[in-house]
Amino acid sequence: MIKKLLLMGMLLGAVRAGAQTYTPTADNLAARQNFQDMKFGLFIHWGIYSELGAGEWVMNEKHIPYDSYKRLADFFNPQAFNAHEWVMFAKKAGMKYITITSRHHDGFSMFGTKTSPYNIVDATPYHKDPLMELAQECVKEGIELHFYYSLLDWGRKDYAFGSPIADGKPVNGDWDSYINFMKAQLTELITKYPGVKGIWFDGHWERDVNWHYDEIYGLIHKLNPAILVGNNHHLEPKEGEDFQMFEKDLPGANTTGFSGKSKIGALPLETCETINNSWGFNITDRSFKSSKRIIHYLVNAAGLNANFLLNIGPMPNGKIQPEFTDTLAIVGAWVQKNGEAIYGTRGSGIPAQPWGVITQKDKNLYVHVMTPSQQPYVFIPQLKGKVTKAALLADGTAVKFKQQTEGVFVYLNGVATDPADTIIKLTTN
Ligand code: JFZ
């Protein structure tokens, strides 16, 4: 009784404070578990900007007037796009889901929409909907699909980019109209496209307005309660969100300066990074990350309990450049062999060590030695449970270990090492 009264008081307090209470459904909670099990996803930035080969910010960076930029749509015709090839590319790389730009800051919709003629079906000679093809192909191949969706729009009058803000909205815009536009588009994306499992918002940081997240997130979860909502706002998770993301940084790190305010919360985590230095196709960017670096990023993310969403920017003809295919074929072969220590694991809670990280699944701990240590052993502190067995994951060879109250020593002398990551599986009771 007292408990009930207390609870009612808390609820009333929350209502009075204007806070909504979001309770994820059982389906949503199951989707979160599944999301965490997948560990590795493909991020795709693809739009009419890809034609200029200078990244997805080209309109803004080169000060291209909106009316001139719009011409890119007149000759966007990705004849070589093949949804099956993209999905197989992701699958071969060991990725379990794809997050693709449905609409970026340039405001161009890469999907067929009734809400605006500025979309790939109505405004380009291609006249087809690649996201529908991709969605159908993903369902067929058992790959999950998430849509990136930009809150920021450089071109729409109702958004009024550059306008002063007052009372939580742009003075020169029509904020209600813009919010309704986004709600209509999100409704299309969630109800028309088969198998969509998540929405990845971006652009929050552009202006300090009332984004009406209660309505937007509420709508998404009403249309499909299992959809995972995430927002690249670089802040602590907000009410109604289902996962937390980090941009170009592992959770807890802040090398970019973006992540200073994003304290790690209790939600599933995801971190995204580029395969070179660009999100959208960039013809001059040749700073390709090595397969080893990508493997390390994946393993480090998994050790910190996070998914890794690796980005590529396909070319305007719809092809993926060979440098990306080559690298990811190597990554894929590695993950194929070592997936047991990645998929379905969780962070062990043991902090990252100078030599690597530890992932966990059931009673097994996977010790990932990525940087060879100076000593002939690695030391794993804070290990709970008694280790009953240590073996090389690659071939099952027994590995020597010694457990003390402070932790476990695993001896690596004579152990066959993997140049990217030597994995030792510890079985505990
Ligand atoms: C955003 C987008 O602007 C970018 O184009 C890409 O889609 C990426 C995944 O997300 O990038 C950001 C977001 C925020 C900041 C910088 C880049 N920021 O707050 O400085």
Side-chain angles (χ1 to χ4, degrees):
M1 182 65 183
I2 289 176
K3 253 199 186 152
K4 244 191 192 159
L5 278 173
L6 263 173
L7 195 70
M8 269 176 66
M10 268 158 62
L11 281 174
L12 277 174
V15 170
R16 245 182 264 125
Q20 312 82 44
T21 39
Y22 165 58
T23 313
T25 62
D27 279 355
N28 184 286
L29 295 176
R32 292 182 189 185
Q33 287 302 327
N34 182 56
F35 176 71
Q36 289 180 287
D37 287 346
M38 296 192 297
K39 281 290 171 301
F40 195 19
L42 177 67
F43 206 0
I44 300 178
H45 277 67
W46 194 50
I48 56 175
Y49 45 77
S50 309
E51 287 180 82
L52 298 178
E56 75 293 352
W57 272 72
V58 62
M59 173 179 161
N60 180 276
E61 284 170 357
K62 297 231 166 103
H63 308 288
I64 306 173
Y66 188 50
D67 284 337
S68 308
Y69 183 87
K70 277 178 115 164
R71 270 185 208 145
L72 289 174
D74 298 342
F75 32 86
F76 190 68
N77 197 2
Q79 287 298 324
F81 169 75
N82 181 320
H84 182 68
E85 273 177 27
W86 283 18
V87 173
M88 294 321 283
F89 166 82
K91 253 186 138 166
K92 261 194 229 136
M95 293 152 161
K96 304 289 188 190
Y97 65 109
I98 294 178
T99 304
I100 187 165
T101 45
S102 60
R103 180 171 142 273
H104 206 267
H105 311 334
D106 64 353
F108 186 78
S109 298
M110 288 296 284
F111 61 103
T113 172
K114 299 219 158 53
T115 61
S116 151
Y118 196 40
N119 72 74
I120 186 157
V121 178
D122 296 316
T124 75
Y126 189 59
H127 290 306
K128 287 189 282 189
D129 186 340
L131 296 199
M132 184 57 84
E133 287 174 37
L134 191 69
Q136 288 165 347
E137 197 60 36
C138 281
V139 170
K140 234 192 255 161
E141 294 294 336
I143 291 286
E144 282 202 0
L145 184 65
H146 294 198
F147 285 133
Y148 169 107
Y149 190 82
S150 177
L151 299 156
L152 157 60
D153 190 301
W154 290 322
R156 283 180 65 97
K157 286 209 164 64
D158 52 5
Y159 187 90
F161 181 62
S163 162
I165 308 292
D167 301 324
K169 48 191 179 202
V171 175
N172 305 327
D174 182 346
W175 200 232
D176 286 344
S177 151
Y178 186 69
I179 298 290
N180 285 331
F181 161 74
M182 290 200 292
K183 282 162 75 176
Q185 284 212 314
L186 289 161
T187 303
E188 291 178 326
L189 288 171
I190 289 162
T191 59
K192 269 179 48 186
Y193 294 79
V196 176
K197 298 284 196 304
I199 302 288
W200 205 103
F201 285 104
D202 192 18
H204 168 99
W205 34 265
E206 193 270 320
R207 49 171 54 173
D208 189 12
V209 288
N210 178 358
W211 288 105
H212 295 262
Y213 288 135
D214 47 350
E215 283 170 55
I216 292 174
Y217 295 173
L219 170 73
I220 294 171
H221 286 137
K222 196 181 82 193
L223 293 171
N224 182 350
I227 285 200
L228 301 181
V229 172
N231 191 323
N232 190 28
H233 46 44
H234 303 165
L235 304 164
E236 270 182 75
K238 294 177 187 287
E239 186 79 31
E241 293 171 4
D242 303 300
F243 67 102
Q244 181 179 9
M245 58 182 76
F246 296 84
E247 185 182 332
K248 295 177 85 72
D249 254 324
L250 289 166
N254 183 19
T255 58
T256 53
F258 300 159
S259 311
K261 292 186 196 137
S262 42
K263 245 179 58 193
I264 302 175
L267 299 178
L269 308 175
E270 177 188 80
T271 170
C272 58
E273 179 55 291
T274 47
I275 193 163
N276 47 7
N277 266 333
S278 317
W279 299 101
F281 177 56
N282 190 323
I283 202 160
T284 56
D285 185 349
R286 299 197 52 87
S287 45
F288 309 117
K289 292 184 179 68
S290 65
S291 52
K292 185 170 170 179
R293 210 166 140 198
I294 291 166
I295 292 166
H296 283 186
Y297 207 94
L298 173 66
V299 173
N300 279 320
L304 289 164
N305 207 28
N307 285 11
F308 178 34
L309 185 63
L310 174 66
N311 181 80
I312 60 157
M315 297 186 284
N317 64 352
K319 286 277 180 213
I320 297 166
Q321 64 191 80
E323 291 89 346
F324 300 169
T325 354
D326 292 353
T327 302
L328 285 184
I330 300 170
V331 173
W334 186 89
V335 190
Q336 187 82 37
K337 266 206 325 245
N338 300 288
E340 181 188 331
I342 304 282
Y343 303 123
T345 64
R346 296 294 182 270
S348 58
I350 301 169
Q353 301 296 312
W355 44 264
V357 296
I358 300 115
T359 56
Q360 178 165 25
K361 184 160 52 188
D362 306 321
K363 299 240 163 195
N364 300 316
L365 292 171
Y366 298 93
V367 180
H368 297 260
V369 184
M370 290 177 281
T371 311
S373 113
Q374 303 287 34
Q375 290 88 8
Y377 58 82
V378 293
F379 177 68
I380 304 142
Q382 300 172 29
L383 195 151
K384 293 180 204 95
K386 186 173 159 26
V387 177
T388 55
K389 194 180 158 195
L392 199 60
L393 181 68
D395 61 8
T397 316
V399 173
K400 267 206 313 190
F401 68 95
K402 182 169 80 191
Q403 185 160 24
Q404 296 180 339
T405 31
E406 298 79 22
V408 176
F409 293 88
V410 174
Y411 295 91
L412 295 174
N413 35 346
V415 170
T417 52
D418 179 304
D421 175 16
T422 305
I423 307 171
I424 293 113
K425 178 176 175 177
L426 302 183
T427 310
T428 65
N429 63 359

